[in-house]
Amino acid sequence: MIIDGHCDALLKLWSKNISFQSSSELQVNYEKWKASSVKIQCFAIFVPEDVPEEAQFKVALEMVDIFFKQIVEPYEDVKFISSKKDMLSLKENEKGAILTLEGCHPIGSDLYKLKTLIRLGVRSVGLTWNQANAVCDGIGEKRGAGLSTFGEEVIDLLNQEKIWTDVSHLSYQGFFDVMKIAKYPIASHSNTIAFSSHQRNLDDKQIQAMIDKDGWIGVTFVPPFLNDQDSTSVKDVINHLDYYLKKGAEDCLGLGSDFDGTIRFVEGLYDQLDYDSLINECRNYFSSEEIQKFSYLNFINKFPRV
Ligand SMILES: [Zn+2]
């Protein structure tokens, strides 16, 4: 069983006229999902940067609509997940879909827009994408500032509502500001700098902070985050899992593929169907208890909404 903490299928469904059922353009579609061992998939609302500011919240709502209309409602065996209880009550043949937000730019500086998204089912909130917004600077903003006063209000709300605060893409300063006040931090799709120098990757201090805060970290399959070479294989994913485990993240570790959010692929890890071969390969390196924890158990244990 797998729980995948991040994919961008919603963005593709919003930007192209394709069907969730079987589009070959999707790494995550209904037929692949059904045939794969992925039990629960997170679907991120990600509003592209080129959408004009005044239209961004509307686009986020359009993606919420697509999530329910195309992913959840057409299928009797796909259930909308909003709590741990929902996850645990999934039947054998059922799949669970979780709605998440990647980047707070669509809410501008309006807390009610975030409250609305939470009421609509968003259960994990990424504070930024790479750029700066009213909440915080992203990792691509050279100023590198941390949380704003509004950003602190956002986290207060997430704490109150028992919603994950996602630090993937956040500035370095922002990361540590969040660690000070967030009750439920995660890094939904973030690797380690041990094997790839990409600025989005976490260093040892950040990994330790996530462990200390009882957070959750999803290893991602985006090649530039896996190594500094031209090609990547399943072994690169295993290297990151192994590094996190050696650093003591056994109870914090998970998977956040970023399927449909990348145009470059790990050899042998093209879509949800390839999770089985990844897990099989993992058996050569990790105990079954470790695999169980990072495949799904930690995600369920850490999910704050009971
Ligand atoms: Zn991302």
Side-chain angles (χ1 to χ4, degrees):
M1 192 202 293
I2 303 286
I3 299 182
D4 184 335
H6 187 79
C7 86
D8 278 313
L10 272 180
L11 174 61
K12 278 194 188 165
L13 289 167
W14 176 80
S15 58
K16 300 171 182 203
N17 190 21
I18 52 176
S19 110
F20 182 67
Q21 169 88 23
S22 58
S23 170
S24 59
E25 287 187 56
L26 292 168
Q27 275 74 57
V28 176
N29 69 31
Y30 175 74
E31 285 176 3
K32 287 176 182 174
W33 191 9
K34 202 58 197 161
S36 77
S37 48
V38 177
K39 184 74 174 170
I40 297 172
Q41 178 69 57
C42 292
F43 292 89
I45 298 165
F46 172 68
V47 178
E49 290 293 311
D50 55 1
V51 173
E53 222 173 291
E54 64 278 9
Q56 287 179 358
F57 186 62
K58 182 174 171 285
V59 170
L61 295 180
E62 287 169 3
M63 290 189 193
V64 173
D65 194 46
I66 291 169
F67 172 81
F68 286 105
K69 221 187 256 169
Q70 284 209 49
I71 296 175
V72 177
E73 285 163 9
Y75 307 105
E76 223 165 87
D77 50 2
V78 174
K79 301 293 173 199
F80 167 60
I81 301 287
S82 83
S83 67
K84 196 182 298 207
K85 190 168 152 248
D86 292 343
M87 287 183 210
L88 297 173
S89 46
L90 282 175
K91 299 195 183 80
E92 180 120 14
N93 67 322
E94 290 174 340
K95 305 284 188 182
I98 297 180
L99 192 55
T100 69
L101 176 67
E102 180 167 31
C104 279
H105 48 287
I107 68 162
S109 49
D110 185 346
L111 215 50
Y112 273 90
K113 287 183 175 162
L114 183 58
K115 285 184 183 179
T116 302
L117 291 177
I118 292 170
R119 285 206 186 276
L120 289 170
V122 166
R123 290 294 173 264
S124 171
V125 171
L127 298 182
T128 70
W129 196 61
N130 291 332
Q131 287 82 4
N133 62 30
V135 171
C136 196
D137 281 0
I139 192 69
E141 165 58 57
K142 70 174 182 187
R143 174 179 55 184
L147 278 178
S148 65
T149 306
F150 174 64
E152 291 176 358
E153 287 170 29
V154 163
I155 291 180
D156 285 344
L157 176 67
L158 299 178
N159 287 344
Q160 240 170 21
E161 294 287 331
K162 292 194 159 71
I163 302 293
W164 267 335
T165 299
D166 187 353
V167 298
S168 287
H169 290 281
L170 208 58
S171 72
Y172 197 75
Q173 179 64 48
F175 176 97
F176 288 101
D177 289 352
V178 168
M179 289 302 128
K180 273 182 222 148
I181 58 172
K183 283 189 188 159
Y184 314 107
I186 67 164
S188 65
H189 53 304
S190 288
N191 291 346
T192 81
I193 60 156
F195 306 99
S196 155
S197 56
H198 197 284
Q199 60 175 0
R200 273 245 300 104
N201 283 352
L202 304 177
D203 67 17
D204 288 355
K205 209 176 146 195
Q206 291 175 301
I207 296 168
Q208 190 57 51
M210 286 297 282
I211 294 169
D212 293 342
K213 288 288 294 195
D214 213 15
W216 183 87
I217 305 169
V219 167
T220 188
F221 310 156
V222 180
F225 306 148
L226 285 163
N227 70 29
D228 292 330
Q229 269 95 58
D230 295 328
S231 69
T232 46
S233 68
V234 166
K235 182 64 175 47
D236 291 296
V237 175
I238 287 170
N239 284 345
H240 286 269
L241 289 166
D242 186 52
Y243 189 82
Y244 278 126
L245 288 172
K246 288 203 168 100
K247 288 285 157 189
E250 184 177 336
D251 296 323
C252 305
L253 196 54
L255 300 160
S257 65
D258 211 356
F259 283 141
D260 292 313
T262 169
I263 45 165
R264 294 174 58 190
F265 301 100
V266 176
E267 204 182 309
L269 204 41
Y270 300 104
D271 58 31
Q272 285 178 310
L273 293 168
D274 291 326
Y275 261 120
D276 283 345
S277 61
L278 170 68
I279 296 303
N280 277 338
E281 190 59 20
C282 282
R283 294 190 206 289
N284 297 323
Y285 300 88
F286 310 122
S287 71
S288 47
E289 200 193 348
E290 286 169 333
I291 293 173
Q292 198 181 33
K293 282 183 176 179
F294 67 68
S295 296
Y296 65 92
L297 205 55
N298 289 339
F299 186 100
I300 297 173
N301 286 340
K302 306 281 159 142
F303 199 77
R305 276 252 179 150
V306 289

